[in-house]
Amino acid sequence: MALKLSVIGTGYLGATHAACMASMGFEVIGFDTEQNKIDFLSKGKVPFYEPDLEELLSKQIASGKLTFTNNIKDLADCDVHFICVGTPQVKGGIAADLTFVNSALESIAEFVKAGALVVGKSTVPVGTAARLRSRLIELNPKADLAWNPEFLREGFAVEDTLKPNRLVVGVANDRAEEILKEVYAKNLAENTPWVRADLPTSELVKVAANSFLATKISFINAMAEVCEAAGGDVTVLAKAIGYDPRIGSRFLQAGIGFGGGCLPKDIRAFMARAEELGAKQAVKFLEEIDSINLRARQRIIELVRNDLSNDLKGKKVAILGAAFKPDSDDVRDSPALDIAAQIQAAGAIVTVHDPKAIINAQKRFPALNFAEDINTTLKDSNIVLHLTEWKIYRQIDPKTVKTLVKDAIMIDGRNALDRELWLKAGWKFRALGRSQVG
Ligand code: UDX
């Protein structure tokens, strides 16, 4: 008999995991406490933007393999329960808020069937899995708990889930590993690397990976600061060091830095947890990683000020991009929106464009102006900021849009535009980590 799976929490991670598991042939039931999410998903609609997900999800709903419920008891006959709820930053601190993970476990512990395996996928502070496992066994001695961190990137969530570059399972015994091998049999058949770990190591793998990625981005942004001081060009520097396979060229895009629902809060939660464990010094460098990252936002605002004679009052600022990265409508800790809000607070008239994230951005920053099309955004502006590197922005013809703006000044916050093209069209071109030309 094929395993029956449940997925608790249907955000970016859970909805994707549920649809992908169903597409691998399992019967899957997704649970969420938010009724509107369940209503959406049950109709085969995805309540956020993620390429390819809606198509996959609606197909699985139509096939009958995937269903959604807001009645937790509907999960009773599942063999494996994936916990995919969020672990946001606590209000007023840097630690992770475990309310949703704790309540997910409590809500199913007593009724899961004998032999059921609860599998945590959420990013949690090390030690959480062992604590939850003890609690589960206390409430239900015949159940077990494993940890299976998720590494999916927004914008590539489906691809990363169907074809992960590795599978990491934190288990307390062979049986839990065997069950997970059954769940991921298709990936194993495709030779996906399989790493068995103990519970704490599996939790640490996730935060270590995200800390490394954050460090790589802040490293190149620190080099951008030095390049600015020394008259160098960080894009050339990144290209040159990236050819060394020990360094690698990915995640060396200098700009306004990292945001989103993962990297910023994960490195902070890691610092908080390390301190509790008496290992504060070991990850103290992450404080600097965080500072470099946040400094990039201030540095770009400085560039804007320099070009607007240090006075933003009444200046029209056009902003291209609101999402924390392209191919996503996620605006959680978006550097682009943070910059937009700060510029507006300094007195500028800011208009923001984004192909997918306007609704979410509006909810977070209702006082900002938003425009549905690029031309309206650019019209009569004194300066243009490119803050999320959507493909459509690279397709803008600088010659054509020059006639729309008041002053042709482009600030490329992502080092993703073709500088020569913009200069040739008569624009002033500014970017972090490069000489300011034009
Ligand atoms: C990240 C991890 O990559 C993923 O493995 C984990 O599961 C969740 O967190 P995600 O938040 O989707 O994924 O985005 P990611 O692609 O890592 O980008 C994070 C941020 O870094 C974005 O704001 C992006 O714009 C920025 N970034 C990325 C840079 O500034 N420069 C780069 O070179 C790469």
Side-chain angles (χ1 to χ4, degrees):
M1 267 282 279
L3 296 171
K4 188 170 174 187
L5 317 180
S6 91
V7 173
I8 300 161
T10 58
Y12 290 92
L13 165 59
T16 309
H17 190 65
C20 290
M21 289 296 117
S23 81
M24 288 183 182
F26 295 104
E27 196 183 324
V28 182
I29 177 159
F31 167 85
D32 205 288
T33 49
E34 278 180 50
Q35 180 64 44
N36 66 330
K37 271 195 195 165
I38 295 300
D39 292 344
F40 243 88
L41 293 163
S42 300
K43 287 184 207 130
K45 298 254 168 257
V46 177
F48 50 85
Y49 176 69
E50 182 60 47
D52 306 327
L53 182 56
E54 193 155 285
E55 205 186 329
L56 184 84
L57 184 111
S58 53
K59 214 167 131 190
Q60 299 314 315
I61 298 252
S63 77
K65 284 212 162 303
L66 178 60
T67 52
F68 289 94
T69 182
N70 62 359
N71 181 359
I72 195 82
K73 294 274 162 60
D74 289 346
L75 277 45
D77 66 338
C78 291
D79 305 287
V80 182
H81 302 268
F82 287 100
I83 296 183
C84 295
V85 295
T87 50
Q89 191 171 327
V90 284
K91 288 199 173 71
I94 61 165
D97 180 351
L98 295 177
T99 314
F100 302 117
V101 172
N102 292 337
S103 67
L105 192 275
E106 294 290 332
S107 68
I108 58 167
E110 274 167 357
F111 70 72
V112 296
K113 65 186 194 185
L117 184 66
V118 176
V119 182
K121 287 190 86 65
S122 310
T123 304
V124 290
V126 59
T128 307
R131 174 176 62 77
L132 293 179
R133 184 167 185 271
S134 303
R135 176 72 180 146
L136 174 65
I137 292 169
E138 179 187 327
L139 295 170
N140 189 336
K142 292 198 169 131
D144 193 9
L145 182 137
W147 216 259
N148 169 219
E150 179 57 57
F151 305 100
L152 67 78
R153 298 160 297 167
E154 288 177 25
F156 299 89
V158 171
E159 187 185 323
D160 286 351
T161 307
L162 291 176
K163 307 242 172 271
N165 48 30
R166 80 288 212 189
L167 284 161
V168 178
V169 296
V171 292
N173 51 57
D174 291 345
R175 183 179 172 273
E177 185 183 16
E178 286 316 311
I179 294 175
L180 284 163
K181 278 190 170 164
E182 206 175 321
V183 170
Y184 293 116
K186 274 216 161 106
N187 305 103
L188 285 173
E190 290 165 1
N191 295 323
T192 304
W194 180 265
V195 182
R196 173 178 169 158
D198 52 28
L199 292 174
T201 307
S202 68
E203 293 166 304
L204 282 171
V205 168
K206 171 68 191 219
V207 281
N210 275 357
S211 297
F212 193 90
L213 294 171
T215 301
K216 214 172 168 189
I217 299 167
S218 277
F219 173 82
I220 202 64
N221 283 335
M223 293 306 106
E225 289 185 36
V226 179
C227 281
E228 277 165 26
D233 186 325
V234 75
T235 63
V236 178
L237 182 141
K239 191 169 151 191
I241 63 172
Y243 281 123
D244 183 334
R246 293 171 302 173
I247 296 173
S249 60
R250 297 176 73 183
F251 268 67
L252 282 183
Q253 188 84 15
I256 56 171
F258 58 81
C262 292
L263 299 193
K265 65 117 177 141
D266 286 353
I267 61 167
R268 291 171 197 154
F270 195 15
M271 286 186 265
R273 183 64 184 137
E275 184 167 1
E276 284 170 6
L277 293 167
K280 183 179 175 188
Q281 202 61 32
V283 294
K284 202 165 166 39
F285 71 96
L286 291 175
E287 258 171 36
E288 199 52 45
I289 300 306
D290 205 6
S291 308
I292 295 167
N293 191 52
L294 295 175
R295 206 151 66 220
R297 303 177 188 186
Q298 300 315 315
R299 285 165 48 231
I300 201 153
I301 295 172
E302 269 317 295
L303 287 185
V304 176
R305 284 189 184 282
N306 286 346
D307 266 307
L308 299 180
S309 323
N310 254 318
D311 183 13
L312 300 183
K313 266 185 226 86
K315 300 284 167 50
K316 291 191 85 173
V317 178
I319 293 195
L320 299 177
F324 85 104
K325 69 175 202 178
D327 297 315
S328 171
D329 64 356
D330 195 346
V331 297
R332 285 176 292 172
D333 201 353
S334 165
L337 276 183
D338 184 8
I339 291 161
Q342 289 194 51
I343 290 178
Q344 165 143 312
I349 303 158
V350 178
T351 306
V352 182
H353 175 270
D354 192 283
K356 296 286 177 195
I358 290 185
I359 293 173
N360 286 343
Q362 234 158 2
K363 279 188 216 147
R364 262 180 207 235
F365 292 93
L368 285 170
N369 305 313
F370 294 92
E372 296 283 343
D373 74 279
I374 296 175
N375 288 356
T376 313
T377 312
L378 299 186
K379 190 136 183 41
D380 299 328
S381 58
N382 298 102
I383 198 159
V384 183
L385 275 64
H386 172 244
L387 300 186
T388 311
E389 68 276 34
W390 287 93
K391 191 172 165 204
I392 49 161
Y393 299 147
R394 291 195 289 282
Q395 292 164 341
I396 294 174
D397 175 15
K399 238 191 263 156
T400 315
V401 295
K402 189 160 178 259
T403 57
L404 294 172
V405 299
K406 187 152 183 295
D407 303 305
I409 309 171
M410 166 56 82
I411 302 208
D412 182 5
R414 291 293 184 178
N415 277 308
L417 299 175
D418 181 342
R419 180 166 74 174
E420 295 318 307
L421 202 69
W422 287 80
L423 287 174
K424 229 186 271 159
W427 286 70
K428 290 182 176 167
F429 194 93
R430 319 278 181 244
L432 294 171
R434 304 178 86 181
S435 52
Q436 315 306 328
V437 285

